[in-house]
């Protein structure tokens, strides 16, 4: 069985494990949150059994080391943001299904609380991931990647801003208007022209001022071509790696 040991007294390093549809990645950070290493493990599919997933994890050296903290992140488009005013734990499945076609028998619904925005983010994960890590790291909650993005990069401000997290063929959008949460959504795109279409459409639909509403594009390494295109339409645009 893979053992991820946490030692907050002696070890300054932290580990982030990010699952996606094609496998998972491991990132090690120092006490100043500077990334020290990255490892990608490619999987055609997530193993369906606990033993199968444990076998995969057992072959990863990083998971045998000591860390002061561990973060578990799951990346997917299967999520819903529900206002606290209408959320109830008993209705999680029904609320999730308002935007999706149901939860597979091999999946379970988890939640992250967006307390600053009076909302709950519901998302589905393979039940095997939840089962394995609830045994290995019972005190660590799985985060949806949108929740991680908001927690790490979307500041509480009384201003208007659009934040975009870039993933392969997807852009995740968070819009704050006059300090209020207006939009959390993900869009699939192929070309830079697709990207700018979605961005400009959001600006228009939400009546955002292109001269004053700032746009931050995150995880945009070596995407100068995209930033150059967007800057033609949005006055304040910056890239954050």
């Amino acid at each position: 069985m893979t053992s991820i040991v946490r030692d907050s007294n002696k070890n300054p390093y932290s580990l982030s494990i990010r699952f996606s549809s094609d496998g998972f990645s491991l990132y090690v950070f120092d006490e100043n949150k500077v990334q020290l290493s990255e490892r990608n493990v490619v999987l055609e599919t997530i193993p369906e059994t606990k033993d199968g997933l444990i076998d995969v994890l057992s072959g990863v050296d990083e998971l045998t080391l000591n860390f002061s903290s561990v973060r578990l992140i799951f990346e997917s488009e299967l999520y819903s943001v529900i206002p606290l005013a209408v959320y109830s734990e008993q209705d999680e499945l029904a609320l999730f299904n308002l935007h999706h076609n149901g939860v597979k028998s091999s999946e379970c619904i988890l939640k992250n609380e967006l307390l600053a925005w009076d909302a709950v983010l519901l998302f589905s994960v393979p039940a095997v991931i939840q089962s394995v890590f609830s045994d290995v790291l019972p005190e660590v909650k799985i985060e949806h990647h949108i929740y991680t993005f908001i927690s790490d990069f979307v500041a509480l401000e009384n201003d208007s801003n659009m934040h975009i997290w870039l993933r392969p063929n997807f852009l995740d959008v968070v819009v704050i208007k006059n300090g209020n949460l207006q939009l959390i959504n993900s869009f699939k795109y192929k070309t830079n022209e697709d990207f700018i279409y979605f961005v400009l459409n959001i600006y228009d639909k939400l009546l955002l001022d292109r001269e004053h509403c700032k746009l931050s594009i995150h995880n945009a390494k070596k995407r100068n071509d995209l930033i150059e295109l967007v800057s033609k339409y949005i006055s304040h645009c910056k890239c954050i790696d």
Side-chain angles (χ1 to χ4, degrees):
M1 178 78 179
T2 295
S3 176
I4 306 173
V5 180
R6 300 179 64 191
D7 185 351
S8 58
N9 294 321
K10 298 180 180 179
N11 197 319
Y13 303 121
S14 61
L15 172 68
S16 176
I17 308 172
R18 188 181 184 102
F19 284 88
S20 62
S21 60
D22 59 357
F24 59 95
S25 300
L26 302 101
Y27 306 90
V28 176
F29 300 88
D30 67 13
E31 64 270 29
N32 296 315
K33 297 184 179 180
V34 175
Q35 183 177 315
L36 301 177
S37 68
E38 174 181 346
R39 179 175 180 180
N40 300 307
V41 179
V42 178
L43 298 173
E44 291 187 4
T45 59
I46 300 294
E48 297 181 355
T49 66
K50 289 182 67 173
D51 287 343
L53 181 56
I54 289 170
D55 285 344
V56 171
L57 297 176
S58 296
V60 180
D61 292 339
E62 287 86 346
L63 299 182
T64 65
L65 305 176
N66 292 349
F67 293 98
S68 62
S69 64
V70 179
R71 200 172 193 181
L72 302 174
I73 303 167
F74 188 77
E75 181 181 294
S76 84
E77 290 68 61
L78 297 178
Y79 67 92
S80 296
V81 179
I82 309 298
L84 275 178
V86 299
Y87 168 80
S88 71
E89 188 173 348
Q90 294 79 7
D91 295 330
E92 281 185 350
L93 179 60
L95 291 168
F96 182 84
N97 286 340
L98 289 174
H99 301 100
H100 304 287
N101 296 321
V103 179
K104 298 178 181 178
S105 59
S106 60
E107 298 176 341
C108 62
I109 294 178
L110 301 180
K111 72 175 180 182
N112 296 148
E113 296 180 351
L114 300 172
L115 296 178
W117 314 115
D118 293 325
V120 172
L121 192 156
L122 300 177
F123 60 104
S124 66
V125 302
V128 65
I129 291 180
Q130 166 67 359
S131 180
V132 167
F133 283 100
S134 64
D135 290 341
V136 178
L137 294 169
E139 74 281 18
V140 179
K141 291 190 65 174
I142 297 176
E143 302 176 11
H144 188 268
H145 78 275
I146 294 288
Y147 173 82
T148 304
F149 175 39
I150 292 174
S151 299
D152 291 353
F153 297 107
V154 180
L156 293 174
E157 298 177 329
N158 292 321
D159 204 350
S160 296
N161 298 279
M162 181 186 297
H163 295 265
I164 294 178
W165 181 266
L166 278 186
R167 294 182 288 135
N169 300 319
F170 280 95
L171 57 147
D172 303 312
V173 183
V174 177
V175 177
I176 309 298
K177 185 177 181 181
N178 300 324
N180 298 310
L181 180 65
Q182 295 292 298
L183 175 71
I184 298 177
N185 209 343
S186 300
F187 303 91
K188 190 172 185 178
Y189 81 104
K190 292 183 179 180
T191 66
N192 287 352
E193 288 70 27
D194 294 336
F195 182 95
I196 194 63
Y197 166 80
F198 285 120
V199 169
L200 294 181
N201 190 49
I202 293 169
Y203 266 84
D204 291 343
K205 294 294 184 183
L206 297 182
L207 302 178
L208 302 172
D209 187 343
R210 295 188 198 175
E211 296 293 327
H212 298 97
C213 180
K214 299 176 182 178
L215 171 61
S216 298
I217 303 177
H218 303 256
N219 199 36
K221 297 177 181 177
K222 299 180 180 179
R223 293 304 307 273
N224 294 333
D225 56 333
L226 183 61
I227 302 302
E228 183 178 348
L229 175 61
V230 175
S231 297
K232 294 179 180 179
Y233 302 91
I234 308 301
S235 297
H236 299 282
C237 175
K238 64 179 179 179
C239 171
I240 303 173
D241 288 342

